[in-house]
Amino acid sequence: MELLRRFKDSYFLFSFLRDPVAIGSFAIFFILAVAGFSAPISAPHDPYDTATIDVMDSELPPAWMDGGENRFLLGTDDQGRDMLSTILYGTRVSLIIGLGAVALQAFLGILVGLVAGYSGGRLDALLMRIADVQLSFSTYMVAIFFGAIFQAVFGVGRYADIAIPFLIFVIGLAEWPQYARTVRASVLGEKKKEYVEAARVIGLPAGRIVRRHILPNTLTPVLVISTVQVANAIMSEAALSFIGLGMPATKPSLGSLIKAGFEYIFSGSWWITLFPGIVLVALILAINLLGDWLRDFLNPKLYKG
C-alpha cells in the first residue's frame, strides 16, 4: 500500500497524466499487448488448427462488404484463416520477438559495457573493436548468415519449430553494441566519482562495486534505449518476414501476414495486407511515442517545473 501511495504521489505519474500523447500511445500499446497475449482466449478462431480451416473460405472480404460473412469480421487470408484471429496471434508473436530480442540485447550490451568501461585499457579497446565490427553488419546480414547455417545443418523443415527463438537470437545478437556503447560511456563517467573511490578504499571487490553501485546509475539511458529498441526489433522481424527470413506462413506474425497478402493487393484482396499493416504501424508508433516521452521525462536538462 505504501508503494502504491508513493506511486500515486510521484512526479512520474503526474507528468504522464498531463501528457495526452503519452496517455494515448500507452492506451494503444496496452490494448494491442493485452489483445495479442490473450489471443488463445480472445481470438474467435485458432489459425494453427488446420482442422477448422477451410480453403474454400479463402480471400473472403470483411463482414461489412459484399460477399463477407459475419463469422469473419475482417475477412480471411489466402489460406482461409480468419484475419482477426491471425492478427491477434501475429501481434503476440511480434511482441514476444521484440521483447525477447531487447532482453538479449540489453543483457549482452550491459555486460560488455560494464566490463569495458570499468576495466579500461586493452580489454576496453578489444571489446569496443568487437562492437565496431558487429555494427558493420546489419540485422539482415546476420539473419542470412545464421539462417543459411541452420538450414544447412538441421534442414528447412525444422525452421518453423525454432523460428521465434532464432529471430530473438539473431536480432539480439545484431543490436547489442547500442547498449554496450551507451553503458560504457556512463560507466566512464561514474567510476571517477567519489562514491566509487570510497567503495574502493574500504576494500569492496570490483564485481560488487560494478553491480551494486555503478550499474544502478547507468540504467536511465538503458530504459530509453530499450523502448526504441523494442520498436526496432519488431520492425526488423517484420522486414525479415517480408523477405522470407522471418516467421513462416504457418506461424503468422505481423510481418509474415503483410508478406502473405502483398501479392493479392492488386487482385482485390487488399485487406490481407492492409489490416496487419495498420496494426504494425500503430504498435510501432505507440512504442516510439512512449519512448520519446520517457526520454524527455528522464532528461535532467529539461525544466520540469
Side-chain angles (χ1 to χ4, degrees):
M1 294 299 294
E2 176 64 20
L3 188 62
L4 180 60
R5 186 188 65 79
R6 291 175 60 184
F7 175 73
K8 289 182 178 179
D9 297 336
S10 66
Y11 180 74
F12 178 86
L13 182 61
F14 174 76
S15 176
F16 176 78
L17 294 177
R18 291 188 64 187
D19 192 328
V21 176
I23 294 174
S25 57
F26 176 78
I28 293 173
F29 174 76
F30 180 78
I31 292 171
L32 291 176
V34 171
F37 284 108
S38 65
I41 301 173
S42 60
H45 302 274
D46 185 357
Y48 298 148
D49 186 3
T50 56
T52 63
I53 299 174
D54 188 353
V55 71
M56 298 301 294
D57 293 328
S58 63
E59 299 185 54
L60 289 177
W64 62 85
M65 295 179 60
D66 293 337
E69 297 185 11
N70 292 331
R71 58 195 178 109
F72 302 123
L73 180 62
L74 300 182
T76 60
D77 63 5
D78 58 317
Q79 300 181 43
R81 299 178 299 187
D82 175 47
M83 285 300 304
L84 177 59
S85 300
T86 54
I87 288 173
L88 291 176
Y89 276 86
T91 301
R92 183 179 67 162
V93 169
S94 294
L95 283 171
I96 289 174
I97 293 174
L99 295 173
V102 168
L104 179 58
Q105 294 171 23
F107 174 77
L108 295 175
I110 291 173
L111 181 62
V112 172
L114 288 173
V115 173
Y118 191 79
S119 301
R122 294 182 177 179
L123 182 58
D124 179 22
L126 175 63
L127 292 174
M128 288 301 99
R129 297 299 77 74
I130 294 175
D132 290 339
V133 172
Q134 179 63 63
L135 285 173
S136 65
F137 295 98
S138 68
T139 304
Y140 312 118
M141 293 179 63
V142 176
I144 292 172
F145 177 75
F146 283 103
I149 292 177
F150 179 87
Q151 293 180 15
V153 175
F154 299 101
V156 179
R158 288 201 57 194
Y159 178 75
D161 298 329
I162 56 90
I164 292 178
F166 171 77
L167 288 172
I168 290 174
F169 170 76
V170 166
I171 298 173
L173 188 65
E175 301 290 340
W176 66 264
Q178 309 282 352
Y179 286 90
R181 286 181 169 276
T182 302
V183 172
R184 173 182 175 271
S186 298
V187 172
L188 290 176
E190 293 293 327
K191 74 175 185 179
K192 297 179 181 179
K193 293 183 178 179
E194 290 80 1
Y195 73 92
V196 177
E197 293 295 337
R200 290 197 188 109
V201 169
I202 64 177
L204 292 180
R208 182 180 175 86
I209 294 174
V210 171
R211 185 177 66 256
R212 298 292 298 275
H213 299 282
I214 295 180
L215 177 59
N217 291 301
T218 64
L219 292 181
T220 296
V222 168
L223 291 175
V224 177
I225 291 175
S226 295
T227 56
V228 177
Q229 287 298 100
V230 169
N232 289 340
I234 293 174
M235 286 191 294
S236 296
E237 180 277 322
L240 289 172
S241 296
F242 191 81
I243 62 177
L245 297 173
M247 294 299 298
T250 55
K251 293 186 176 180
S253 68
L254 294 177
S256 63
L257 289 174
I258 294 172
K259 175 183 181 295
F262 189 73
E263 59 186 81
Y264 297 97
I265 291 179
F266 300 106
S267 65
S269 302
W270 47 266
W271 56 88
I272 302 177
T273 290
L274 181 63
F275 293 142
I278 291 174
V279 173
L280 179 63
V281 170
L283 180 61
I284 292 173
L285 182 61
I287 295 174
N288 281 331
L289 290 175
L290 280 175
D292 290 341
W293 174 82
L294 185 62
R295 179 198 60 202
D296 294 340
F297 174 78
L298 297 175
N299 189 351
K301 296 181 180 180
L302 294 179
Y303 173 69
K304 296 182 173 61

